[in-house]
Amino acid sequence: MVGQFFIDPFLHLSIDMIYLDSNATTQIHPEVVDAMLPFLTEHWYNPSSGYRAAKVVRQALDLAHEQVAALIGAKPEEIVFTGCGTESNNAVLGFLASRAGEKRRILTSAIEHSAILRYSESLAETDGFSVEKIGVGADGRLDLEAYASALSQEAEGGCAMASLMWANNETGVIQPMAEACDLARAAGVPFHTDAIQAVGKTPVNVRDMAVDYLSISGHKFHAPKGVGALYVRGGMPFAPLLRGGGQEGGRRSGTENVASIVAMGKAAELMQARLEADGHAGVKELRDHFENRLLSELEGVRVNGSLAHRTVNTSHLSFDSCEAAGLLILLDEYGVQCSAGSACMTGKQQPSHVQTAMGIPAAQAKSSLRISFSIFTTRQECDTAVEAVKKAVNKLRSVQGGPGVGPVQVFT
Ligand code: PLP
């Protein structure tokens, strides 16, 4: 069927499903839809035009800069809207590489998203950089000693940049950000963080941290897909990836994606209010309830990664003697949508690089699910999902053999 959009009538539409994959993307908040719609219907002007109707659009963009800046403690002029989180990551790394001079080392971690790892590797292939990926402990947190030692080495001309994610997309584990960026600053190395899984979920304040550049993506916190932002600390150099009309203060050309930028601003405002009110206590309570029920009602369940340092919405679980690939199929059938590892890894049979870096044995890694909640998850959904997971695990174990219960290891 060419040229037509076809919906399989037998497909369960999302309306019947329990969505527990919010680290992949989130549902657009209804208030965000309300905020963006007028910019698709009534206020569709080019914000760079001179007439009054276009000024309304310009003002909406200005407000969005303020809203996103407020969420991370930045100044509005320090925010550059981009086309997605991947673009924000690529733009910073590409810029820092372009002014690296003799410095040919890129310091990052072994658990980064592919938007950092692939781009760094491409810089290594084409521009002679070496990429140093610092490992993590069994709890999924950066090996700070190795990080400090790598920053202090001046071999090969020293570090051109350091990039460390704020929170991991698979495990939700929050990295020792303050320590890492202080070390980079002390070594005089520009520091970037991919904060795409942190912003909107956990407090992120650039005023408290020696972060120079920070990437954000709207669709991870209830804005639409295809809009992101980059924080560039005032006074830090930056040259754009996209050059042309000079929009976004000359830092990202291309006529602005106004409706999506307005949406991201609104979503930022909503998330800031929730973080300030109770730090998403409701989401954390549901995640903990889900985990506690599974740990007490099912044998051979492990929670992977630090319990003390993780985003409130994420649970990374292993189920002994159960292949995640089979679990995902059964859970989809039972009405629960989640993923194994990151969404990008779904369908691949090898353990994810994140689990490998944490030293999770291959068998355990292949039996892991990433369950990620959102502000829209209800307690009833949570309880129904627990029953579905139990049913799926028991069914697979009855086919594949017993629970194979090992010592239950919980990292703190
Ligand atoms: N970095 C992290 C940690 C992510 O989780 C994602 C999305 O999955 C990205 C980068 C890419 O963001 P986007 O989908 O907006 O390009």
Side-chain angles (χ1 to χ4, degrees):
M1 188 166 285
V2 179
Q4 260 183 294
F5 182 56
F6 175 72
I7 298 179
D8 179 350
F10 299 108
L11 191 72
H12 287 285
L13 292 178
S14 53
I15 223 150
D16 303 323
M17 303 293 286
I18 296 173
Y19 184 69
L20 297 181
D21 201 14
S22 295
N23 285 7
T25 195
T26 52
Q27 183 190 337
I28 306 179
H29 195 294
E31 286 184 47
V32 168
V33 176
D34 288 347
M36 76 186 285
L37 274 182
F39 294 88
L40 294 170
T41 53
E42 196 184 339
H43 306 298
W44 42 263
Y45 297 91
N46 188 323
S48 298
S49 297
Y51 23 85
R52 280 171 299 160
K55 295 221 162 63
V56 174
V57 183
R58 167 63 49 208
Q59 281 161 5
L61 290 184
D62 291 345
L63 174 63
H65 278 93
E66 285 168 25
Q67 290 163 318
V68 171
L71 178 61
I72 62 163
K75 298 183 190 126
E77 62 274 18
E78 292 174 319
I79 300 297
V80 181
F81 284 106
T82 63
C84 58
T86 300
E87 182 191 324
S88 302
N89 283 345
N90 284 203
V92 175
L93 267 52
F95 165 69
L96 292 173
S98 74
R99 66 193 301 274
E102 297 293 298
K103 299 183 176 174
R104 298 325 272 176
R105 288 165 61 222
I106 299 173
L107 184 63
T108 187
S109 82
I111 57 163
E112 297 296 310
H113 188 272
S114 50
I116 293 291
L117 291 180
R118 293 274 144 74
Y119 195 81
S120 313
E121 283 155 12
S122 75
L123 288 171
E125 281 158 25
T126 56
D127 297 326
F129 282 91
S130 66
V131 184
E132 224 164 316
K133 300 174 198 167
I134 304 298
V136 295
D139 63 356
R141 300 193 91 211
L142 185 77
D143 178 346
L144 269 173
E145 226 171 276
Y147 198 74
S149 146
L151 276 167
S152 66
Q153 286 163 28
E154 280 307 307
E156 296 170 53
C159 267
M161 67 191 90
S163 183
L164 173 68
M165 69 192 336
W166 196 298
N168 183 262
N169 44 306
E170 288 183 42
T171 59
V173 171
I174 295 173
Q175 298 304 315
M177 197 48 54
E179 294 87 338
C181 58
D182 282 351
L183 284 166
R185 179 149 303 171
V189 174
F191 185 88
H192 164 256
T193 177
D194 172 347
I196 286 164
Q197 290 290 348
V199 169
K201 298 178 187 171
T202 200
V204 168
N205 195 324
V206 292
R207 267 196 297 265
D208 304 339
M209 299 270 185
V211 165
D212 299 316
Y213 306 91
L214 178 147
S215 300
I216 316 177
S217 177
H219 74 104
K220 305 295 185 181
F221 58 94
H222 307 290
K225 284 159 270 299
V227 62
L230 176 62
Y231 158 79
V232 180
R233 181 177 290 280
M236 285 305 285
F238 181 69
L241 179 66
L242 300 189
R243 291 152 205 245
Q247 288 87 348
E248 289 295 287
R251 291 174 299 178
R252 202 277 188 177
S253 285
T255 303
E256 297 88 338
N257 180 0
V258 175
S260 292
I261 291 173
V262 166
M264 189 166 163
K266 183 67 189 176
E269 182 189 291
L270 294 173
M271 291 307 107
Q272 189 185 352
R274 282 176 177 261
L275 279 165
E276 283 174 3
D278 62 6
H280 287 308
V283 178
K284 180 178 186 308
E285 199 268 323
L286 277 188
R287 191 271 315 270
D288 292 348
H289 172 68
F290 179 85
E291 273 181 2
N292 289 337
R293 274 203 61 192
L294 282 178
L295 286 166
S296 62
E297 296 172 32
L298 204 56
E299 281 180 279
V301 182
R302 301 154 200 255
V303 182
N304 298 313
S306 167
L307 296 186
H309 302 278
R310 58 179 174 155
T311 47
V312 293
N313 79 316
T314 308
S315 179
H316 193 276
L317 299 167
S318 298
F319 301 90
D320 289 358
S321 304
C322 271
E323 290 259 326
L327 273 179
L328 286 180
I329 294 168
L330 283 177
L331 285 173
D332 195 24
E333 202 176 292
Y334 301 159
V336 177
Q337 297 163 325
C338 59
S339 67
S342 69
C344 314
M345 298 301 292
T346 303
K348 296 187 182 170
Q349 289 306 303
Q350 70 270 37
S352 78
H353 65 290
V354 176
Q355 298 190 73
T356 304
M358 290 165 71
I360 296 178
Q364 186 184 336
K366 283 185 187 176
S367 68
S368 300
L369 293 184
R370 176 185 72 180
I371 314 276
S372 42
F373 301 81
S374 85
I375 57 168
F376 293 120
T377 314
T378 65
R379 195 170 180 95
Q380 194 187 339
E381 285 181 326
C382 197
D383 283 324
T384 307
V386 168
E387 295 305 331
V389 172
K390 282 164 54 184
K391 189 170 151 191
V393 168
N394 286 330
K395 184 164 180 175
L396 278 187
R397 282 179 180 165
S398 71
V399 180
Q400 295 173 356
V405 185
V408 176
Q409 194 180 0
V410 175
F411 301 112
T412 52

